[in-house]
Amino acid sequence: MSSKSDAKQEREIKIVGFLCNWCSYGGADTAGVCRFRQPTDLRIIRIPCTGRIDPLMIVKSLIQGADGVLVSGCHPNDCHYAVGNFYARRRMEVLKRFLPYMGFQSDRFRYTWVSASEGQIWQQVVTDFSETIHRLGPNPGLHQTVDSAPAVSWF
Amino acid sequence: MRIGVFICQCGTNIAGTVDTRAVAKKAMEFPDVVFAVDYMYTCSEPGQKEIQDAISSHRLQGVVVAACSPRMHEPTFRRAVKKAGINPYMFEQANIREHCSWIGTDREANTRKAIDMVRMSVEKLRRNQALFSTQVAVNKRVLVIGGGVAGIQAALDCSDGGLEVVMVEREPSIGGKMAKLDKTFPTIDCSSCILGPKMVDVAQKENIRLYAYSEVEAISGYIGNFKVDIRKKATYVDWNACTGCGECTQKCPSKKAFDHFNEGLGATTAINIPFPQAIPKKARIDSDYCRYLTGGKCRVCEKICPVKAIRFDMKDEIVTEEVGAIIVASGYDLFDARVYGEYGGGRYPDVISAMQYERILSASGPYGGHIRRPSDGREPKEIVFISCVGSRDISVDRPYCSGICCMYIAKQAIMTRDHIPDSNCYVSYMDIRAPGKGYDEFIRRAQEEYGVKYIRGRVGRIYPRGDRLVVQGADTLLGVQVEIEADLVVLATGVECSAGARPLAEKLRISYDQHGFYMESHPKLRPVETNTAGVFLAGVCQGPKDIPASVGQGSAAASKVQALFSRDTIETDPQVAHVNENMCIGCGKCEQVCPFGAIRMKTLRDGSRKSEVLETVCQGCGLCNATCPNKAIQLRHSTDDQILAEINTLFD
Amino acid sequence: MLKRVAYYPGCSCEGMAIEYDQSVRALCYVLGIELVGIPDWNCCGSTPSHSYDPLLGAALAGRNLAIARSQGLDVVMTPCPSCLKALKTANQVFRERPSEFLDVLGMPFSGDVRAISVLQLLYEEIGPNLIQKAVKFPFKNKKIVPYYGCLLTRPPAFAQFDDPENPVSMDRLIEAAGAAVPDFPHKTECCGAALGITQRDVVMRLTGRILDMARAVGADALAVACPLCQQNLDLRQDQVNRALKENFNLPVLYITQIIGCALGIDRKTLGIEKLAVKTDALFQSA
């Protein structure tokens, strides 16, 4: 499954997914219930709302070695908390433009809106994003291992 | 921390494509894990028992269950661990079924993924804190916004349950759209005969306080303790004194005021009582038409009023009410048919809206219940009804079905045939939607018993010929073009959100869909709740519906309020934001982004500004957490540390 | 206000509708709008090209926009609604399938050249108020009804001009020219378009209906903004009279001719004498 890499041994592609509890996490559940086949690269973190996401979490994931980061929430205007995804959209749109300056291909990050009933769309999103990441290959990272110290805040 | 991990096989649902034994074995290597096992059905009675036994025998302080989606069984397992003496928030669930075993058959890859997911849950759990709900007192008064039939039903049900009700109505009288209707489908009940007594009830109940001609200005507070500012608009009449005798309306010389109740058919006086059955039955001066207020001369009503109730110097007044719950029944508007240039609504006087026709049919309407044309007063013989005007049409941004038009057209056609037996009624329709009890039979009666001619197809154009109107359209069943020379055309205008719906939603902090209808918590299972605790919905403000459904929702919302008020205090969800005051720099950004007004700034004794979370208002979205530049505000149970720990552990 | 636009006459304005071309040029000259020719302009493709291959059809029309862009212009004005649609389609196809479009076109194209009709130019860029001020010979005591046809305002999302079913832009311009404008319900009814060649009886019926309504509302003349509509209503009026046993005698003028007359441009320059139905009565003061 993973793409070739000459020096290192083959490493499993890992994608971090941040899914809001109300829409996309439910959408991923629906896709599962319907047994829609999906690639297994995605590791989902359940969050209350996409507005909960600090863009630094996405950057942190990439620095740590995530090959891709997928954020998914309620469709704009359908946010469980009314406006959370509007804030998220703005933050992530800015982040996407910044990623290349940090040395990451912006294609490694994607955000999308999937509702709790859109299992089929979730399958498409995951499959498509996974294919993109496989095409890009493993994240070369910042070429330095970050100490595996216990997780603390950024300060 | 001593952690126990339970891997559910879910029969073969998980075990079929995930090596649960291997996952459990691997879990034993994770930090703090002292016990790990896989089990056939963890959610079953014996499965829960297994967890509880392990908690006591291994002195567990936290539990991870890897099973189905937490949206399915998180409450189940939280209850189970609570019974065994652990705080329910010292529990994490890894979703290895919907997100893993069910989406692929590669057993090895699935097992690797499942191990990762368990590892993430363990790392999160290691940073969990015991959380405790708080209790807040409930103010057992309810605010009902909107005095249409849905709001009236909600108010009366609450009142019957012994609750104090505050009702706010924008118009000078309650009754809403239903008060304007002549008859109701499918029973042809007289609308005001069945609504009237309920309106009177509202006026007479001692525990209902009615603010008519008033609007909600601002709302603050939270479930159990809302504070509502209500703007009482100036009526220029002291309603405490006014007896509704109507002397003033007889003598008012300004007789060309727009008649809102009769949809602009005919005119009324500047000082008027909207209709004979109005509640409250009080006079109001329309300041746009009053000769004194516009021109500075007249004051006839002031002289004539037997109780001296006229107050020309009256100003809007703001009053504050405190309530524990809010029922929103703010209703709807009707589509403006002028948008369809081809129908000539607004240009041709005999092309009218269905609500105008309803007023024409009504015995209390502008023509005393005689069907006449607005242009020349002649009795129409050929009447065409056009359905879906502003419904199911993407080109006017109304893709939804208004749900009531098919039925009210049938009713109006039946009434027309009743009033004028030698008339011809035509209905141009796209599809007939009649899914209610007795509804389809009613349509059939219109067609078979009353001989209403149903033509399937859209009308393309209406234009005058002489004093009649040529309706040009298609009959798509016969595949021919149709031209009808009509005396009167009735446009079945659809339902759209009330013009004030969006600003009101902002005040209530509830969400609305792209067409302005309020969002319920869950489209099937929580149809009258909103995502703002303590705010409930009733009637068409939530989406198009007919009278029975609106009344049903009114009662449903009232029963939700009564369930809420059956307790003296309410328990809050502890998964809310929390401020670390040592780190807070008082920038106030969290206060700005909070969609619920759950954060306010306070000043400490040393003069420093700190933000403070109203835990009962906070809904736990975490926007503030992501916004805080200093990370001083943290969403409990989803803290930065917890989320970062989940990320970090994936790439160790 | 626009001062300089690229001018795309299209095939009609070189032949059947030469008087439309003449009146547009004369009117724009008087109103101070410079019309810049598109060198080596080609056919917009009309109906056949996009029926055969939508991409090819779009590229055909797009070539004219690309040339206009190379001349440093960002607005192309055309008198013909059918050409207008073709030019707008080019931009739309470019937005939807940019690489394929560029492949077929084979020249630089960025989709930033706007196509507008002469009516849009008169109504939105100049405006009825300015025109009213410039009018020297208003049509006093005359009733002129506007006929928009099918394409000028439709489909609405595409045309993005005026109300699709009850347009009023021409109404306002005719009023500015001093004539009365009765309510004309058939202003967007179909005239039969190109069916005049294959199924003439259809055009006779449809055109007859429009003329009948114009007569019923008491019109002294019809105003149009489409060469094909003009042809059906004016040139075929005699055929309609024979087919329907009628005696219509309604002059059908281009909106540019009507405004031109009101502004005092001489009738010969405007090509009035080229119209089939004689206009003498319209210019006699009542």
Side-chain angles (χ1 to χ4, degrees):
Chain A
M1 280 291 274
S2 53
S3 67
K4 268 176 274 170
S5 147
D6 39 7
K8 292 175 190 168
Q9 74 225 51
E10 277 197 13
R11 174 165 81 73
E12 190 183 11
I13 293 279
K14 277 188 194 176
I15 299 170
V16 176
F18 294 97
L19 271 61
C20 90
N21 178 48
W22 305 100
C23 291
S24 293
Y25 197 92
D29 281 357
T30 307
V33 171
C34 300
R35 310 295 201 277
F36 292 142
R37 288 286 184 84
Q38 298 154 46
T40 51
D41 317 311
L42 187 66
R43 305 287 183 266
I44 293 171
I45 296 176
R46 179 180 171 218
I47 45 167
C49 176
T50 46
R52 169 68 186 90
I53 297 172
D54 192 314
L56 290 174
M57 289 173 184
I58 296 157
V59 177
K60 187 89 172 173
S61 305
L62 291 169
I63 290 174
Q64 294 285 56
D67 302 299
V69 178
L70 178 63
V71 172
S72 189
C74 307
H75 287 278
N77 258 334
D78 279 355
C79 179
H80 182 83
Y81 302 103
V83 295
N85 54 7
F86 290 142
Y87 283 95
R89 182 168 62 180
R90 221 175 304 163
R91 287 171 183 158
M92 294 189 292
E93 196 50 50
V94 172
L95 174 72
K96 204 166 175 58
R97 282 150 212 236
F98 262 118
L99 284 179
Y101 295 92
M102 299 180 218
F104 294 110
Q105 292 141 300
S106 58
D107 285 352
R108 292 197 183 274
F109 165 58
R110 185 177 295 179
Y111 67 90
T112 153
W113 318 116
V114 175
S115 82
S117 56
E118 294 174 334
Q120 192 130 34
I121 292 175
W122 177 249
Q123 178 196 29
Q124 287 164 13
V125 165
V126 175
T127 309
D128 189 66
F129 187 59
S130 196
E131 275 169 15
T132 307
I133 298 301
H134 278 276
R135 240 189 338 268
L136 290 172
N139 177 4
L142 295 179
H143 300 292
Q144 58 199 56
T145 26
V146 179
D147 284 352
S148 55
V152 286
S153 65
W154 298 292
F155 301 94
Chain B
M1 188 185 288
R2 296 174 65 81
I3 293 173
V5 177
F6 300 83
I7 315 293
C8 182
Q9 297 169 352
C10 199
T12 57
N13 277 312
I14 293 171
T17 54
V18 172
D19 185 348
T20 50
R21 183 72 35 96
V23 177
K25 191 159 167 252
K26 186 78 184 169
M28 281 301 284
E29 298 172 17
F30 299 155
D32 290 353
V33 175
V34 294
F35 178 75
V37 71
D38 63 330
Y39 194 82
M40 179 78 91
Y41 286 110
T42 316
C43 62
S44 67
E45 192 71 38
Q48 294 187 35
K49 183 91 180 9
E50 172 105 6
I51 296 175
Q52 289 161 344
D53 289 346
I55 288 173
S56 57
S57 58
H58 294 274
R59 292 176 288 117
L60 300 180
Q61 294 163 303
V63 170
V64 169
V65 173
C68 54
S69 171
R71 283 164 58 97
M72 179 100 157
H73 271 319
E74 195 174 54
T76 315
F77 292 122
R78 276 192 180 154
R79 267 199 308 274
V81 301
K82 193 180 174 192
K83 264 192 191 160
I86 301 188
N87 182 284
Y89 295 93
M90 298 305 287
F91 164 80
E92 286 298 327
Q93 188 167 356
N95 183 352
I96 60 167
R97 191 178 75 175
E98 282 86 344
H99 291 186
C100 184
S101 74
W102 274 352
I103 60 168
T105 49
D106 182 344
R107 197 174 164 84
E108 237 173 81
N110 281 355
T111 306
R112 275 202 305 276
K113 180 168 179 176
I115 289 170
D116 268 352
M117 292 167 90
V118 172
R119 192 207 307 264
M120 288 159 80
S121 293
V122 169
E123 285 301 325
K124 180 168 182 225
L125 176 62
R126 291 177 71 206
R127 288 156 184 84
N128 277 16
Q129 279 184 328
L131 301 177
F132 301 93
S133 303
T134 49
Q135 304 283 327
V136 287
V138 175
N139 178 352
K140 295 186 181 178
R141 302 177 83 221
V142 56
L143 169 73
V144 177
I145 304 175
V149 68
I152 289 174
Q153 184 69 29
L156 291 177
D157 281 7
C158 288
S159 156
D160 284 345
L163 302 179
E164 266 190 61
V165 180
V166 178
M167 179 181 265
V168 176
E169 165 60 50
R170 184 174 55 181
E171 303 297 326
S173 167
I174 60 169
K177 299 280 188 298
M178 189 177 168
K180 295 185 177 187
L181 303 181
D182 175 40
K183 298 285 192 300
T184 57
F185 58 78
T187 46
I188 321 255
D189 274 317
C190 160
S191 181
S192 56
C193 311
I194 54 176
L195 181 67
K198 282 182 178 286
M199 291 165 62
V200 174
D201 272 359
V202 170
Q204 289 180 346
K205 292 268 185 186
E206 278 175 4
N207 53 0
I208 298 181
R209 184 179 293 178
L210 173 61
Y211 292 98
Y213 204 50
S214 301
E215 289 187 52
V216 171
E217 181 83 1
I219 297 171
S220 60
Y222 47 88
I223 180 170
N225 296 281
F226 290 106
K227 203 181 214 182
V228 185
D229 290 344
I230 297 164
R231 174 182 293 273
K232 290 172 73 178
K233 295 180 280 189
T235 57
Y236 306 101
V237 176
D238 180 354
W239 280 9
N240 292 323
C242 177
T243 59
C245 68
E247 289 276 321
C248 50
T249 65
Q250 305 287 321
K251 296 288 182 323
C252 176
S254 171
K255 297 190 190 303
K256 293 263 168 68
F258 188 85
D259 191 346
H260 293 274
F261 189 74
N262 282 324
E263 298 281 315
L265 293 166
T268 182
T269 45
I271 186 163
N272 65 70
I273 298 172
F275 56 105
Q277 301 83 13
I279 298 285
K281 194 172 180 185
K282 307 283 181 191
R284 173 189 73 103
I285 295 176
D286 188 338
S287 57
D288 294 340
Y289 294 93
C290 173
R291 289 192 182 176
Y292 177 68
L293 290 170
T294 55
K297 273 194 192 135
C298 181
R299 308 187 84 141
V300 168
C301 47
E302 198 178 33
K303 289 185 204 88
I304 213 87
C305 179
V307 292
K308 302 291 168 229
I310 309 295
R311 304 276 183 277
F312 284 115
D313 57 351
M314 192 183 259
K315 296 267 184 306
D316 288 8
E317 186 192 341
I318 306 278
V319 292
T320 304
E321 289 280 358
E322 289 181 351
V323 296
I326 299 172
I327 295 173
V328 191
S330 51
Y332 64 103
D333 282 348
L334 287 160
F335 184 81
D336 182 358
R338 281 176 300 185
V339 172
Y340 288 93
E342 63 268 43
Y343 293 161
R347 271 184 294 143
Y348 307 134
D350 293 329
V351 177
I352 58 172
S353 75
M355 189 54 105
Q356 287 178 316
Y357 194 55
E358 201 71 45
R359 292 312 302 151
I360 290 177
L361 287 169
S362 169
S364 67
Y367 307 151
H370 301 293
I371 302 177
R372 301 206 313 237
R373 308 204 312 168
S375 62
D376 54 9
R378 191 163 63 76
E379 186 179 81
K381 295 292 181 199
E382 307 285 319
I383 297 137
V384 178
F385 296 87
I386 300 175
S387 71
C388 295
V389 179
S391 301
R392 303 177 64 199
D393 189 347
I394 297 163
S395 70
V396 296
D397 194 27
R398 298 288 181 275
Y400 55 87
C401 172
S402 294
I404 53 173
C405 319
C406 290
M407 293 305 298
Y408 75 59
I409 289 181
K411 174 195 73 182
Q412 293 186 338
I414 286 177
M415 295 309 300
T416 309
R417 294 276 294 151
D418 238 11
H419 279 59
I420 315 170
D422 61 339
S423 64
N424 280 314
C425 288
Y426 304 86
V427 175
S428 158
Y429 70 101
M430 303 209 298
D431 295 292
I432 293 175
R433 305 219 157 152
K437 186 175 173 184
Y439 284 13
D440 204 59
E441 297 91 314
F442 186 72
I443 300 275
R444 278 192 168 271
R445 272 182 71 197
Q447 292 171 330
E448 290 163 7
E449 197 177 314
Y450 287 88
V452 178
K453 297 175 183 69
Y454 274 73
I455 302 165
R456 189 184 198 274
R458 292 287 276 177
V459 167
R461 180 157 305 275
I462 298 170
Y463 60 88
R465 182 184 291 160
D467 70 343
R468 306 182 91 188
L469 294 158
V470 179
V471 181
Q472 197 177 293
D475 185 330
T476 54
L477 293 179
L478 294 178
V480 295
Q481 294 189 13
V482 181
E483 218 177 77
I484 301 166
E485 217 168 282
D487 298 309
L488 187 67
V489 178
V490 179
L491 304 178
T493 42
V495 168
E496 63 183 20
C497 80
S498 168
R502 289 181 178 90
L504 180 61
E506 306 293 336
K507 289 173 194 164
L508 287 159
R509 303 192 181 91
I510 59 176
S511 43
Y512 46 86
D513 68 17
Q514 56 177 320
H515 303 295
F517 294 111
Y518 296 152
M519 297 279 286
E520 62 281 11
S521 261
H522 188 281
K524 289 171 184 68
L525 303 178
R526 303 185 73 195
V528 296
E529 293 97 322
T530 66
N531 288 332
T532 300
V535 178
F536 304 93
L537 303 174
V540 183
C541 66
Q542 178 261 340
K545 56 178 65 68
D546 58 9
I547 293 170
S550 297
V551 171
Q553 267 197 339
S555 285
S559 79
K560 284 284 165 195
V561 170
Q562 288 179 344
L564 175 69
F565 286 0
S566 65
R567 285 168 296 171
D568 295 325
T569 58
I570 43 173
E571 204 167 79
T572 58
D573 186 343
Q575 299 179 76
V576 293
H578 176 73
V579 180
N580 179 346
E581 282 186 8
N582 292 329
M583 289 170 78
C584 176
I585 53 170
C587 65
K589 283 190 172 131
C590 47
E591 188 190 15
Q592 281 171 17
V593 298
C594 180
F596 306 99
I599 295 173
R600 66 178 171 212
M601 303 307 293
K602 64 176 179 185
T603 309
L604 297 187
R605 250 183 297 178
D606 65 359
S608 59
R609 260 161 59 88
K610 302 287 174 189
S611 70
E612 180 186 31
V613 176
L614 306 171
E615 296 197 350
T616 41
V617 187
C618 178
Q619 302 283 312
C621 67
L623 252 184
C624 52
N625 195 160
T627 308
C628 180
N630 226 17
K631 302 299 163 202
I633 192 163
Q634 289 288 327
L635 179 63
R636 284 182 163 147
H637 214 62
S638 289
T639 61
D640 290 335
D641 274 6
Q642 290 179 307
I643 294 172
L644 290 172
E646 291 187 72
I647 299 169
N648 285 349
T649 192
L650 271 176
F651 305 104
D652 269 355
Chain C
M1 196 175 103
L2 275 176
K3 284 278 176 210
R4 207 163 166 267
V5 294
Y7 179 55
Y8 179 82
C11 60
S12 307
C13 284
E14 297 232 309
M16 298 284 289
I18 188 89
E19 68 272 28
Y20 197 9
D21 179 73
Q22 288 171 357
S23 57
V24 169
R25 287 177 191 273
L27 185 58
C28 287
Y29 178 77
V30 169
L31 292 172
I33 294 171
E34 186 189 346
L35 300 181
V36 185
I38 299 174
D40 191 34
W41 62 270
N42 59 272
C43 171
C44 72
S46 190
T47 312
S49 74
H50 73 77
S51 324
Y52 173 69
D53 180 352
L55 194 60
L56 182 66
L60 207 53
R63 180 173 173 275
N64 299 301
L65 297 180
I67 298 173
R69 167 46 77 218
S70 70
Q71 304 278 304
L73 294 153
D74 53 9
V75 176
V76 172
M77 186 271 278
T78 176
C80 171
S82 181
C83 298
L84 178 71
K85 187 185 139 280
L87 296 172
K88 287 189 167 188
T89 307
N91 279 332
Q92 179 168 321
V93 172
F94 169 71
R95 277 193 297 275
E96 285 167 1
R97 306 155 70 183
S99 52
E100 291 167 83
F101 180 85
L102 288 174
D103 227 27
V104 177
L105 181 61
M107 53 200 287
F109 191 87
S110 48
D112 57 354
V113 180
R114 200 159 60 97
I116 62 169
S117 66
V118 66
L119 182 60
Q120 206 168 353
L121 180 80
L122 292 173
Y123 185 66
E124 288 181 349
E125 300 295 340
I126 297 166
N129 288 343
L130 261 177
I131 288 175
Q132 190 167 20
K133 277 181 204 148
V135 164
K136 294 196 187 91
F137 304 95
F139 286 86
K140 276 189 198 139
N141 303 320
K142 297 292 178 199
K143 288 183 187 168
I144 302 179
V145 291
Y147 175 70
Y148 296 79
C150 55
L151 270 179
L152 265 172
T153 57
R154 290 186 289 201
F158 199 74
Q160 298 196 331
F161 173 64
D162 214 340
D163 184 305
E165 298 297 339
N166 184 36
V168 292
S169 49
M170 236 193 299
D171 298 48
R172 297 291 98 82
L173 291 169
I174 299 169
E175 281 165 7
V181 183
D183 183 37
F184 185 52
H186 283 5
K187 51 171 77 161
T188 55
E189 289 299 283
C190 179
C191 70
L195 284 182
I197 298 159
T198 51
Q199 281 178 282
R200 198 200 285 176
D201 57 319
V202 173
V203 174
M204 296 299 105
R205 187 161 55 82
L206 295 178
T207 306
R209 238 168 39 138
I210 295 163
L211 292 167
D212 187 42
M213 180 57 76
R215 187 173 58 186
V217 301
D220 296 304
L222 278 134
V224 295
C226 167
L228 191 52
C229 299
Q230 206 276 345
Q231 181 191 327
N232 281 344
L233 289 165
D234 181 48
L235 195 59
R236 291 189 189 276
Q237 204 173 100
D238 196 34
Q239 291 177 351
V240 173
N241 281 339
R242 269 177 282 143
L244 305 182
K245 302 197 170 45
E246 281 284 0
N247 55 351
F248 294 119
N249 186 26
L250 278 167
V252 182
L253 287 82
Y254 289 104
I255 183 72
T256 43
Q257 292 179 312
I258 288 173
I259 297 173
C261 286
L263 260 51
I265 305 173
D266 81 280
R267 286 181 219 160
K268 195 168 166 55
T269 311
L270 293 168
I272 301 273
E273 87 286 355
K274 290 199 163 60
L275 300 174
V277 178
K278 291 300 149 217
T279 55
D280 305 344
L282 184 66
F283 296 105
Q284 282 161 11
S285 50

